[in-house]
Amino acid sequence: MILNEDLLLLVFNTISKEPDVHIEHRQAAIRYASQVCQGWRNLILSASSIWGRLIWINPVQRLDWMQEVLERAETSSSLCATVELSGVSWGTQDGFVLSAFTLSALKKIWERLEEVDIDTASDLTDYGRKFESGLWHQMETSAPNLRVFAFCDSTWMDRSPSANLFNNNAPRLQEFTTHLLIAPQSASWFSHITTLYFIPESIEDVCNAVLWAPCLRVLRLGEQLGELDLEIITPEDCDRVASLSPAILPRLARISDLQLSFDQFNALWSSRFVSPAESYTYIRVMMNDDGYDDEGQELKQAKLLGSLSNFFYHHAGITSSNIHNHDLQWYVEAGFDFITIEAQAHTVPELYMKLYFDLDDDHDSNDWIRFLARAITEYARSTGNFNLHIAGNLEKFLCFDVFDSLLLSLASVEMIRFDLKTLQYYCELEENGRPLFPKLQTIHYVLRRGIYAIELKLLKTFLMRRVKAGRPVSSIHFEGPKNDDDTIYNALHDVGGLQITCG
């Protein structure tokens, strides 16, 4: 089938701007397509809109080819550029030539740029200092068409973005990303920002970002820090945070992988006297005991109960009495020194909450894991979909009855997902005369280690016990190793009324 030019052009344009594919592969795909036949070549070479999204400046490609891409994109009204220079040695002749080309190219296309992603590295040589100065001079030039800006310096420049960025003139800017430590300034280019990724030095920076970006919808703090130990909120800030949280939290529509101490988490969620606002939250809470005695731990647990209550309330007004209206799917995972609690709505995908509690491995974490499992019981008890994964020592969790109260409260669960360790925990509970999940209908079982006779035997025991108790499971779906279907069917064929699927 021969496609007409309009459809071919649509295909090539789609390839050139695919956001999930690195520009190297997009550019190569278009280049190879232009060599298929003369018709395709004529179509692609004349389409400046395609090349306008394929501007890629890097030390790997030849300068003449990068210059040719710029020329092919010359008449395009929309330009996107990716500048990857983090591995360049500025003190060499090649580095000097590339730096000059980069600054010249950016100067030429800057006013037409809609998206730019710059990844560079500081250098103490004269060439490096000159390039750094020239780059900042360019970034402090008006950017009238810029919508998306990303800047990363892998060696952590001393300079940080200031009010002079874009000469305070980037009226279309919506997404701003940097891996530098920055203190947001009161700049007009903040006014239309909807997505902001940055590393704050203090709670003051977080407050200012929220204050100066009235259209903010996505705020991510401190992502991709590697091993950098950065406290976003110092202990001295906690009292101030408590008073500010009613003003801050409604604006933090999304926090991704934000790391807080126990006290910082409590400070942020110290109040519920605001309208519910959050829909998506992922928080890492560092639970260091710091030598607290038993009375101190009880006080900490009481504070955390209040903070958790406010945390849920700030998400769509969730309380223990109305949470059943949200049809949340719960996932709980625990290991030696952590517990993850995750809840997501089926009907409202953007309603998502995840709390990762990182426990101090110098202290006994069992009490905290058991406490946190109990703390969410009143919220999770109404769920119809539950997933428990035990990553740590099973004997420890069994010995300390870590999940007993939570599991025994899940009377509405109709579907569960689990593997061998969780199955062993469930069987231990039921063998002690404590039945689980009276409404259970569907199981998703994860075969992580292949088919072992003891594993299938234990699963069959779990299923048959439910049949005898008048609470049979209607279907089970196996996930994991392939080509074991016959083994599974033969092992479970005695379980009456059970539908088995694999895949």
Side-chain angles (χ1 to χ4, degrees):
M1 182 176 66
I2 300 177
L3 298 178
N4 62 42
E5 289 190 352
D6 288 344
L7 288 177
L8 281 172
L9 194 59
L10 177 61
V11 171
F12 297 143
N13 267 304
T14 301
I15 293 173
S16 70
K17 61 184 180 182
E18 175 54 52
D20 296 327
V21 178
H22 189 270
I23 188 170
E24 176 183 6
H25 304 299
R26 289 186 277 125
Q27 192 187 88
I30 292 298
R31 193 174 185 179
Y32 293 148
S34 70
Q35 298 170 1
V36 170
C37 64
Q38 191 62 46
W40 283 23
R41 183 171 183 81
N42 293 339
L43 183 63
I44 291 174
L45 294 187
S46 63
S48 61
S49 60
I50 293 176
W51 297 101
R53 306 192 71 87
L54 298 176
I55 299 172
W56 182 33
I57 300 174
N58 62 89
V60 178
Q61 294 182 310
R62 301 193 319 270
L63 284 178
D64 58 347
W65 166 246
M66 291 188 283
Q67 181 62 46
E68 187 173 340
V69 172
L70 286 171
E71 291 172 357
R72 293 179 182 183
E74 190 168 8
T75 59
S76 176
S77 59
S78 173
L79 299 178
C80 301
T82 300
V83 181
E84 296 180 337
L85 303 175
S86 59
V88 175
S89 297
W90 298 115
T92 64
Q93 181 63 25
D94 288 344
F96 173 74
V97 173
L98 182 58
S99 68
F101 173 80
T102 301
L103 294 177
S104 173
L106 287 176
K107 182 177 181 180
K108 184 176 181 179
I109 65 177
W110 189 258
E111 288 194 351
R112 288 186 293 152
L113 277 177
E114 287 195 1
E115 300 180 20
V116 62
D117 185 345
I118 301 173
D119 185 356
T120 185
S122 299
D123 189 285
L124 297 179
T125 64
D126 289 341
Y127 286 158
R129 291 295 188 187
K130 288 179 181 179
F131 174 73
E132 178 184 326
S133 178
L135 181 60
W136 278 100
H137 176 74
Q138 187 59 62
M139 292 193 299
E140 291 174 350
T141 303
S142 297
N145 288 302
L146 195 62
R147 293 186 301 102
V148 178
F149 175 82
F151 180 82
C152 176
D153 182 346
S154 58
T155 55
W156 298 86
M157 276 188 189
D158 294 334
R159 296 186 68 174
S160 296
S162 67
N164 293 327
L165 202 60
F166 316 123
N167 194 28
N168 202 17
N169 181 27
R172 300 181 62 194
L173 189 62
Q174 295 183 340
E175 183 173 321
F176 181 90
T177 301
T178 183
H179 296 153
L180 300 181
L181 295 164
I182 73 168
Q185 304 292 322
S186 180
S188 66
W189 57 267
F190 257 106
S191 61
H192 295 97
I193 291 287
T194 59
T195 302
L196 179 62
Y197 299 42
F198 81 110
I199 300 172
E201 294 185 274
S202 68
I203 187 60
E204 194 82 35
D205 296 342
V206 179
C207 297
N208 287 340
V210 171
L211 176 66
W212 291 326
C215 300
L216 195 63
R217 294 293 178 269
V218 176
L219 175 61
R220 295 182 178 173
L221 309 173
E223 287 193 9
Q224 299 180 1
L225 291 179
E227 297 181 356
L228 179 68
D229 185 13
L230 178 70
E231 283 203 18
I232 293 174
I233 305 175
T234 64
E236 295 76 24
D237 288 324
C238 287
D239 290 340
R240 183 162 180 265
V241 173
S243 64
L244 288 172
S245 62
I248 295 174
L249 291 178
R251 302 293 304 283
L252 302 187
R254 178 169 293 187
I255 304 173
S256 181
D257 206 8
L258 170 62
Q259 180 173 303
L260 300 174
S261 71
F262 174 85
D263 291 329
Q264 293 160 1
F265 177 79
N266 285 336
L268 276 171
W269 275 271
S270 61
S271 170
R272 71 163 55 179
F273 297 108
V274 291
S275 299
E278 285 84 17
S279 59
Y280 178 109
T281 304
Y282 173 19
I283 303 286
R284 294 175 61 93
V285 184
M286 312 304 292
M287 301 288 291
N288 295 321
D289 281 340
D290 297 327
Y292 278 87
D293 55 24
D294 291 340
E295 182 179 356
Q297 182 163 310
E298 290 180 3
L299 180 60
K300 290 182 73 175
Q301 290 179 349
K303 288 182 178 179
L304 183 57
L305 285 176
S307 298
L308 285 173
S309 175
N310 293 335
F311 175 82
F312 284 110
Y313 178 76
H314 281 294
H315 292 79
I318 289 175
T319 65
S320 58
S321 60
N322 69 17
I323 195 169
H324 61 277
N325 296 327
H326 296 276
D327 187 25
L328 294 178
Q329 173 182 335
W330 286 78
Y331 171 77
V332 177
E333 179 180 10
F336 292 105
D337 55 2
F338 76 92
I339 179 171
T340 297
I341 298 166
E342 186 176 343
Q344 183 171 12
H346 284 293
T347 54
V348 186
E350 60 269 22
L351 181 56
Y352 175 86
M353 295 166 281
K354 181 175 181 179
L355 294 173
Y356 179 101
F357 292 92
D358 194 341
L359 303 161
D360 190 341
D361 56 10
D362 292 334
H363 297 80
D364 186 1
S365 61
N366 300 320
D367 288 342
W368 271 113
I369 294 178
R370 183 169 58 247
F371 169 77
L372 290 164
R374 289 176 177 174
I376 65 166
T377 296
E378 62 178 316
Y379 299 96
R381 69 170 72 248
S382 63
T383 186
N385 192 324
F386 184 77
N387 179 6
L388 173 65
H389 177 60
I390 297 173
N393 188 318
L394 178 63
E395 294 301 322
K396 182 188 77 168
F397 291 105
L398 288 171
C399 179
F400 289 92
D401 302 329
V402 172
F403 297 113
D404 292 23
S405 61
L406 172 62
L407 294 173
L408 293 170
S409 73
L410 300 177
S412 300
V413 166
E414 297 180 356
M415 181 168 64
I416 58 175
R417 184 175 186 271
F418 60 97
D419 57 11
L420 178 58
K421 276 191 179 180
T422 315
L423 171 62
Q424 291 172 320
Y425 198 108
Y426 291 167
C427 288
E428 182 76 16
L429 276 179
E430 295 203 326
E431 285 174 3
N432 292 327
R434 292 181 284 180
L436 297 172
F437 317 125
K439 297 182 180 180
L440 181 62
Q441 293 295 316
T442 304
I443 290 175
H444 286 257
Y445 190 81
V446 182
L447 292 164
R448 298 188 184 276
R449 305 174 185 175
I451 296 297
Y452 297 114
I454 189 172
E455 185 172 0
L456 283 174
K457 183 178 180 181
L458 188 62
L459 181 58
K460 182 177 180 179
T461 300
F462 176 78
L463 294 170
M464 290 300 294
R465 185 183 293 119
R466 300 191 63 85
V467 172
K468 293 176 181 178
R471 296 179 280 107
V473 172
S474 60
S475 64
I476 182 168
H477 177 76
F478 286 88
E479 304 173 21
K482 300 179 180 179
N483 304 320
D484 287 323
D485 299 13
D486 291 341
T487 307
I488 293 172
Y489 295 143
N490 291 334
L492 301 181
H493 76 277
D494 291 337
V495 183
L498 181 66
Q499 181 182 350
I500 303 171
T501 58
C502 304

